[in-house]
Amino acid sequence: MQTELDLFDPQSPQQPQWVGPHAVLLPGFALPQVEAMLPALRQVVASAPFRHMLTPGGLKMAVGLTNCGALGWVSDRQGYRYSPVDPLSNRPWPAMPEVLLDLAGHAAALAGFADFSPDACLVNCYRPGNRLSLHQDRDEQDFSQPIVSVSLGLPAVFLLGGHRRNEPTQRIGLRHGDVLVWGGEDRLRFHGVLPLKPGAHPVLGSLRINLTLRKAG
Ligand code: SIN
Ligand code: FE2
């Protein structure tokens, strides 16, 4: 009988890595759910396709995005906000898949946030070269609730900064199946993503998908 942990088995659970007082990387935490997540995501994208929104300054965002859940994050010339309807279709966003609710609840609990019930999931789609500049997630009503981020596809380097834009950032590698939770005193830290390196992921090809689950309303 094999008793040692196989460190090269991607399914074997890895240790949580605390990257802040209330911020934790859960390597591979979503791997057991990926198979159930992918068809649910395909359904979301079929009714609310990825699109390139305009920043308030009028620039087209490089990262494609869509949402599921009762509220969706949108950006246009009027600013950033949450909306109960998809501006492309004027219909409600697709429902939040149960598998995502479950996963986010468990990940948040491991990070010390019991009873996390997200009502919004922003889905970002990165292609090689796409980056996300440093920003804070501050369009939500209640900053006592954490952000739960799930990464799929190509690996990326996530930058976790401080409470001011010019503070130093730490680099956190995010791979397929990794979950990152930040809340509490880390909730409003600046963060971003370095330009995605070209590559081919066996499941998602040359894409990175990131889901961030939030309690927005
Ligand atoms: C975000 O900050 O909204 C996305 C972060 C990521 O893509 O890892
Ligand atoms: Fe963010």
Side-chain angles (χ1 to χ4, degrees), residues 7-120:
L7 295 174
F8 299 98
D9 174 0
Q11 296 288 347
S12 78
Q14 290 174 267
Q15 291 304 310
Q17 292 166 30
W18 290 89
V19 293
H22 294 108
V24 66
L25 170 64
L26 305 171
F29 188 76
L31 284 176
Q33 271 74 50
V34 168
E35 241 180 89
M37 249 156 57
L38 290 177
L41 271 178
R42 271 188 213 106
Q43 271 195 28
V44 167
V45 173
S47 46
F50 288 116
R51 77 290 306 270
H52 298 279
M53 290 188 177
L54 287 184
T55 65
L59 297 175
K60 201 193 253 186
M61 293 183 182
V63 174
L65 68 84
T66 186
N67 292 278
C68 56
L71 292 169
W73 186 87
V74 297
S75 173
D76 58 21
R77 298 299 294 239
Q78 274 69 58
Y80 307 131
R81 64 194 173 280
Y82 281 93
S83 164
V85 294
D86 177 350
L88 275 188
S89 65
N90 278 319
R91 285 180 307 161
W93 296 101
M96 175 94 70
E98 205 61 41
V99 57
L100 281 183
L101 267 183
D102 247 47
L103 177 68
H106 284 118
L110 278 182
F113 302 95
D115 307 320
F116 177 50
S117 57
D119 55 10

Side-chain angles (χ1 to χ4, degrees), residues 122 124 126 132 135 149 158 174 191 193 208 210 212 214:
L122 170 64
N124 283 324
Y126 299 75
L132 192 66
H135 66 278
S149 142
F158 184 86
L174 292 182
H191 58 277
V193 178
R208 170 176 186 258
N210 177 264
T212 45
R214 301 120 186 263

Side-chain angles (χ1 to χ4, degrees), residues 13 31 35 57 72 90 104 134 154 166 179 182 189 200 208 215:
L31 284 176
E35 241 180 89
N90 278 319
L134 283 181
L154 288 179
N166 56 8
V179 176
W182 64 97
R189 284 169 73 170
R208 170 176 186 258
K215 174 84 178 77

